[in-house]
mmCIF file of all heavy atoms in Angstrom:
data_model
loop_
_atom_site.group_PDB
_atom_site.id
_atom_site.type_symbol
_atom_site.label_atom_id
_atom_site.label_comp_id
_atom_site.label_asym_id
_atom_site.label_seq_id
_atom_site.Cartn_x
_atom_site.Cartn_y
_atom_site.Cartn_z
ATOM 1 N N THR A 111 76.325 18.678 132.650
ATOM 2 C CA THR A 111 75.208 19.792 132.641
ATOM 3 C C THR A 111 75.748 20.913 133.504
ATOM 4 O O THR A 111 76.397 20.777 134.451
ATOM 5 C CB THR A 111 73.945 19.250 133.261
ATOM 6 O OG1 THR A 111 74.270 18.741 134.576
ATOM 7 C CG2 THR A 111 73.350 18.041 132.364
ATOM 8 N N ALA A 112 75.269 22.148 133.256
ATOM 9 C CA ALA A 112 75.789 23.244 133.925
ATOM 10 C C ALA A 112 74.532 24.313 133.942
ATOM 11 O O ALA A 112 74.495 25.139 133.028
ATOM 12 C CB ALA A 112 76.961 23.825 133.169
ATOM 13 N N PRO A 113 73.800 24.332 135.033
ATOM 14 C CA PRO A 113 72.738 25.411 134.985
ATOM 15 C C PRO A 113 73.471 26.814 135.028
ATOM 16 O O PRO A 113 74.433 26.960 135.693
ATOM 17 C CB PRO A 113 72.097 25.176 136.354
ATOM 18 C CG PRO A 113 72.498 23.746 136.664
ATOM 19 C CD PRO A 113 73.721 23.446 136.116
ATOM 20 N N ALA A 114 72.881 27.725 134.414
ATOM 21 C CA ALA A 114 73.426 28.983 134.271
ATOM 22 C C ALA A 114 73.273 29.746 135.647
ATOM 23 O O ALA A 114 72.337 29.447 136.504
ATOM 24 C CB ALA A 114 72.640 29.970 133.287
ATOM 25 N N PRO A 115 74.184 30.622 136.081
ATOM 26 C CA PRO A 115 74.232 31.265 137.311
ATOM 27 C C PRO A 115 72.973 31.999 137.555
ATOM 28 O O PRO A 115 72.443 32.666 136.609
ATOM 29 C CB PRO A 115 75.535 32.109 137.259
ATOM 30 C CG PRO A 115 76.406 31.568 136.223
ATOM 31 C CD PRO A 115 75.411 30.921 135.196
ATOM 32 N N ALA A 116 72.423 32.039 138.788
ATOM 33 C CA ALA A 116 71.242 32.873 139.105
ATOM 34 C C ALA A 116 70.109 32.694 138.263
ATOM 35 O O ALA A 116 69.376 33.566 138.012
ATOM 36 C CB ALA A 116 71.624 34.366 139.202
ATOM 37 N N ALA A 117 69.746 31.413 137.714
ATOM 38 C CA ALA A 117 68.703 31.142 136.899
ATOM 39 C C ALA A 117 67.999 29.951 137.397
ATOM 40 O O ALA A 117 68.775 28.983 137.927
ATOM 41 C CB ALA A 117 69.164 30.920 135.396
ATOM 42 N N ARG A 118 66.603 29.787 137.275
ATOM 43 C CA ARG A 118 65.965 28.736 137.672
ATOM 44 C C ARG A 118 66.232 27.628 136.534
ATOM 45 O O ARG A 118 65.979 27.755 135.343
ATOM 46 C CB ARG A 118 64.447 28.944 137.672
ATOM 47 C CG ARG A 118 63.569 27.798 138.239
ATOM 48 C CD ARG A 118 62.150 28.239 138.468
ATOM 49 N NE ARG A 118 61.504 28.241 137.148
ATOM 50 C CZ ARG A 118 61.011 29.419 136.695
ATOM 51 N NH1 ARG A 118 61.407 30.605 137.249
ATOM 52 N NH2 ARG A 118 60.333 29.465 135.425
ATOM 53 N N PRO A 119 66.652 26.366 136.951
ATOM 54 C CA PRO A 119 67.081 25.323 136.093
ATOM 55 C C PRO A 119 65.758 24.996 135.211
ATOM 56 O O PRO A 119 64.659 25.008 135.735
ATOM 57 C CB PRO A 119 67.517 24.235 136.826
ATOM 58 C CG PRO A 119 67.981 24.876 138.056
ATOM 59 C CD PRO A 119 67.032 25.974 138.348
ATOM 60 N N ALA A 120 66.075 24.702 134.008
ATOM 61 C CA ALA A 120 64.917 24.020 133.268
ATOM 62 C C ALA A 120 64.624 22.601 133.560
ATOM 63 O O ALA A 120 65.148 22.130 134.515
ATOM 64 C CB ALA A 120 65.364 24.024 131.666
ATOM 65 N N SER A 121 63.612 22.003 132.953
ATOM 66 C CA SER A 121 63.162 20.611 133.321
ATOM 67 C C SER A 121 64.324 19.703 133.460
ATOM 68 O O SER A 121 65.223 19.602 132.646
ATOM 69 C CB SER A 121 62.148 20.158 132.208
ATOM 70 O OG SER A 121 61.939 18.785 132.530
ATOM 71 N N PRO A 122 64.358 18.943 134.589
ATOM 72 C CA PRO A 122 65.376 17.895 134.763
ATOM 73 C C PRO A 122 65.327 16.909 133.620
ATOM 74 O O PRO A 122 66.245 16.083 133.441
ATOM 75 C CB PRO A 122 65.078 17.345 136.218
ATOM 76 C CG PRO A 122 63.803 17.689 136.494
ATOM 77 C CD PRO A 122 63.526 19.010 135.719
ATOM 78 N N LEU A 124 65.558 17.174 130.650
ATOM 79 C CA LEU A 124 66.545 17.397 129.595
ATOM 80 C C LEU A 124 67.750 16.677 129.780
ATOM 81 O O LEU A 124 68.405 16.135 128.867
ATOM 82 C CB LEU A 124 66.908 19.007 129.451
ATOM 83 C CG LEU A 124 65.661 19.881 128.970
ATOM 84 C CD1 LEU A 124 65.994 21.262 129.287
ATOM 85 C CD2 LEU A 124 65.740 19.720 127.408
ATOM 86 N N VAL A 141 73.124 20.898 124.115
ATOM 87 C CA VAL A 141 71.778 21.533 124.301
ATOM 88 C C VAL A 141 72.070 22.813 125.171
ATOM 89 O O VAL A 141 72.818 22.910 126.166
ATOM 90 C CB VAL A 141 70.930 20.544 125.130
ATOM 91 C CG1 VAL A 141 69.501 21.156 125.321
ATOM 92 C CG2 VAL A 141 70.968 19.132 124.594
ATOM 93 N N ARG A 142 71.270 23.845 124.746
ATOM 94 C CA ARG A 142 71.212 25.011 125.591
ATOM 95 C C ARG A 142 69.754 25.530 125.753
ATOM 96 O O ARG A 142 69.082 25.643 124.532
ATOM 97 C CB ARG A 142 71.993 26.288 124.884
ATOM 98 C CG ARG A 142 73.457 25.981 124.912
ATOM 99 C CD ARG A 142 74.262 27.022 124.135
ATOM 100 N NE ARG A 142 74.385 28.179 124.819
ATOM 101 C CZ ARG A 142 75.529 28.603 125.602
ATOM 102 N NH1 ARG A 142 76.477 27.944 125.646
ATOM 103 N NH2 ARG A 142 75.468 29.732 126.241
ATOM 104 N N VAL A 143 69.208 25.663 126.828
ATOM 105 C CA VAL A 143 67.971 26.315 127.113
ATOM 106 C C VAL A 143 68.099 27.606 127.663
ATOM 107 O O VAL A 143 68.967 27.772 128.700
ATOM 108 C CB VAL A 143 67.103 25.405 127.946
ATOM 109 C CG1 VAL A 143 65.734 26.144 128.285
ATOM 110 C CG2 VAL A 143 66.853 24.111 127.177
ATOM 111 N N GLY A 144 67.361 28.665 127.348
ATOM 112 C CA GLY A 144 67.530 30.040 127.889
ATOM 113 C C GLY A 144 66.211 30.691 127.985
ATOM 114 O O GLY A 144 65.104 30.164 127.631
ATOM 115 N N GLY A 145 66.318 31.998 128.373
ATOM 116 C CA GLY A 145 65.074 32.776 128.388
ATOM 117 C C GLY A 145 64.683 33.113 129.911
ATOM 118 O O GLY A 145 65.405 32.624 130.881
ATOM 119 N N SER A 146 63.622 33.880 130.110
ATOM 120 C CA SER A 146 63.304 34.348 131.447
ATOM 121 C C SER A 146 62.863 33.191 132.318
ATOM 122 O O SER A 146 62.806 33.435 133.633
ATOM 123 C CB SER A 146 62.236 35.339 131.336
ATOM 124 O OG SER A 146 61.088 34.955 130.656
ATOM 125 N N GLU A 147 62.515 32.072 131.838
ATOM 126 C CA GLU A 147 61.988 31.027 132.530
ATOM 127 C C GLU A 147 63.117 30.165 133.153
ATOM 128 O O GLU A 147 62.841 29.139 133.935
ATOM 129 C CB GLU A 147 61.109 30.063 131.752
ATOM 130 C CG GLU A 147 59.822 30.732 131.376
ATOM 131 C CD GLU A 147 58.990 29.842 130.545
ATOM 132 O OE1 GLU A 147 59.359 28.607 130.235
ATOM 133 O OE2 GLU A 147 57.752 30.260 130.037
ATOM 134 N N GLY A 148 64.393 30.415 132.798
ATOM 135 C CA GLY A 148 65.389 29.623 133.373
ATOM 136 C C GLY A 148 66.496 29.253 132.328
ATOM 137 O O GLY A 148 66.160 29.129 131.172
ATOM 138 N N ALA A 149 67.658 28.843 132.688
ATOM 139 C CA ALA A 149 68.683 28.580 131.693
ATOM 140 C C ALA A 149 69.239 27.199 132.046
ATOM 141 O O ALA A 149 69.314 26.766 133.287
ATOM 142 C CB ALA A 149 69.711 29.559 131.602
ATOM 143 N N TRP A 150 69.693 26.544 131.126
ATOM 144 C CA TRP A 150 70.292 25.152 131.327
ATOM 145 C C TRP A 150 71.100 24.789 130.196
ATOM 146 O O TRP A 150 70.899 25.021 129.053
ATOM 147 C CB TRP A 150 69.179 24.083 131.574
ATOM 148 C CG TRP A 150 69.619 22.616 131.849
ATOM 149 C CD1 TRP A 150 69.911 22.216 133.175
ATOM 150 C CD2 TRP A 150 70.061 21.693 130.878
ATOM 151 N NE1 TRP A 150 70.449 20.832 132.994
ATOM 152 C CE2 TRP A 150 70.445 20.437 131.641
ATOM 153 C CE3 TRP A 150 70.077 21.563 129.578
ATOM 154 C CZ2 TRP A 150 70.824 19.385 130.925
ATOM 155 C CZ3 TRP A 150 70.374 20.283 128.920
ATOM 156 C CH2 TRP A 150 70.772 19.250 129.681
ATOM 157 N N ARG A 151 72.350 24.119 130.362
ATOM 158 C CA ARG A 151 73.287 23.677 129.451
ATOM 159 C C ARG A 151 73.716 22.356 129.639
ATOM 160 O O ARG A 151 73.873 22.016 130.762
ATOM 161 C CB ARG A 151 74.363 24.576 129.296
ATOM 162 C CG ARG A 151 74.102 26.153 129.023
ATOM 163 C CD ARG A 151 75.353 27.036 129.166
ATOM 164 N NE ARG A 151 74.924 28.463 129.145
ATOM 165 C CZ ARG A 151 75.799 29.404 129.472
ATOM 166 N NH1 ARG A 151 76.960 29.104 129.703
ATOM 167 N NH2 ARG A 151 75.377 30.639 129.435
ATOM 168 N N GLY A 152 73.742 21.561 128.580
ATOM 169 C CA GLY A 152 74.248 20.108 128.804
ATOM 170 C C GLY A 152 74.889 19.554 127.557
ATOM 171 O O GLY A 152 74.575 20.023 126.423
ATOM 172 N N GLU A 364 72.081 30.342 119.973
ATOM 173 C CA GLU A 364 71.212 30.860 121.040
ATOM 174 C C GLU A 364 71.299 32.456 121.044
ATOM 175 O O GLU A 364 70.258 33.128 121.120
ATOM 176 C CB GLU A 364 71.720 30.520 122.362
ATOM 177 C CG GLU A 364 70.919 30.885 123.587
ATOM 178 C CD GLU A 364 71.397 30.431 124.875
ATOM 179 O OE1 GLU A 364 72.594 30.815 125.258
ATOM 180 O OE2 GLU A 364 70.747 29.759 125.553
ATOM 181 N N ARG A 368 67.816 34.644 120.143
ATOM 182 C CA ARG A 368 67.373 35.723 121.046
ATOM 183 C C ARG A 368 67.330 37.068 120.404
ATOM 184 O O ARG A 368 66.351 37.854 120.596
ATOM 185 C CB ARG A 368 68.250 35.685 122.252
ATOM 186 C CG ARG A 368 68.099 34.352 123.157
ATOM 187 C CD ARG A 368 69.089 34.355 124.279
ATOM 188 N NE ARG A 368 68.598 35.376 125.246
ATOM 189 C CZ ARG A 368 69.325 35.541 126.454
ATOM 190 N NH1 ARG A 368 70.337 34.701 126.708
ATOM 191 N NH2 ARG A 368 68.993 36.413 127.217
ATOM 192 N N GLY A 435 60.196 35.095 123.876
ATOM 193 C CA GLY A 435 61.586 34.773 124.219
ATOM 194 C C GLY A 435 61.657 34.150 125.645
ATOM 195 O O GLY A 435 62.745 33.987 126.241
ATOM 196 N N ALA A 436 60.494 33.724 126.216
ATOM 197 C CA ALA A 436 60.470 33.233 127.665
ATOM 198 C C ALA A 436 61.317 31.918 127.698
ATOM 199 O O ALA A 436 61.962 31.717 128.792
ATOM 200 C CB ALA A 436 59.188 33.057 128.175
ATOM 201 N N ARG A 437 61.334 31.127 126.740
ATOM 202 C CA ARG A 437 62.008 29.889 126.661
ATOM 203 C C ARG A 437 62.578 29.645 125.313
ATOM 204 O O ARG A 437 61.807 29.558 124.304
ATOM 205 C CB ARG A 437 61.243 28.639 127.186
ATOM 206 C CG ARG A 437 61.937 27.350 126.999
ATOM 207 C CD ARG A 437 61.538 26.266 127.729
ATOM 208 N NE ARG A 437 61.835 26.503 129.211
ATOM 209 C CZ ARG A 437 61.700 25.622 130.281
ATOM 210 N NH1 ARG A 437 61.331 24.382 129.961
ATOM 211 N NH2 ARG A 437 62.079 25.918 131.408
ATOM 212 N N THR A 438 63.888 29.527 125.113
ATOM 213 C CA THR A 438 64.618 29.224 123.928
ATOM 214 C C THR A 438 65.168 27.859 124.096
ATOM 215 O O THR A 438 65.657 27.392 125.208
ATOM 216 C CB THR A 438 65.708 30.307 123.541
ATOM 217 O OG1 THR A 438 66.707 30.335 124.620
ATOM 218 C CG2 THR A 438 65.072 31.629 123.538
ATOM 219 N N LEU A 439 65.401 27.189 123.024
ATOM 220 C CA LEU A 439 66.011 25.911 122.847
ATOM 221 C C LEU A 439 66.946 25.851 121.702
ATOM 222 O O LEU A 439 66.375 26.144 120.525
ATOM 223 C CB LEU A 439 64.987 24.847 122.866
ATOM 224 C CG LEU A 439 65.615 23.342 122.404
ATOM 225 C CD1 LEU A 439 66.354 22.907 123.519
ATOM 226 C CD2 LEU A 439 64.348 22.401 122.162
#
Side-chain angles (χ1 to χ4, degrees):
T111 60
R118 185 175 74 251
S121 168
L124 288 159
V141 188
R142 294 175 75 99
V143 172
S146 59
E147 295 181 357
W150 182 90
R151 301 170 190 172
E364 182 181 62
R368 292 177 66 178
R437 172 156 292 194
T438 63
L439 168 68

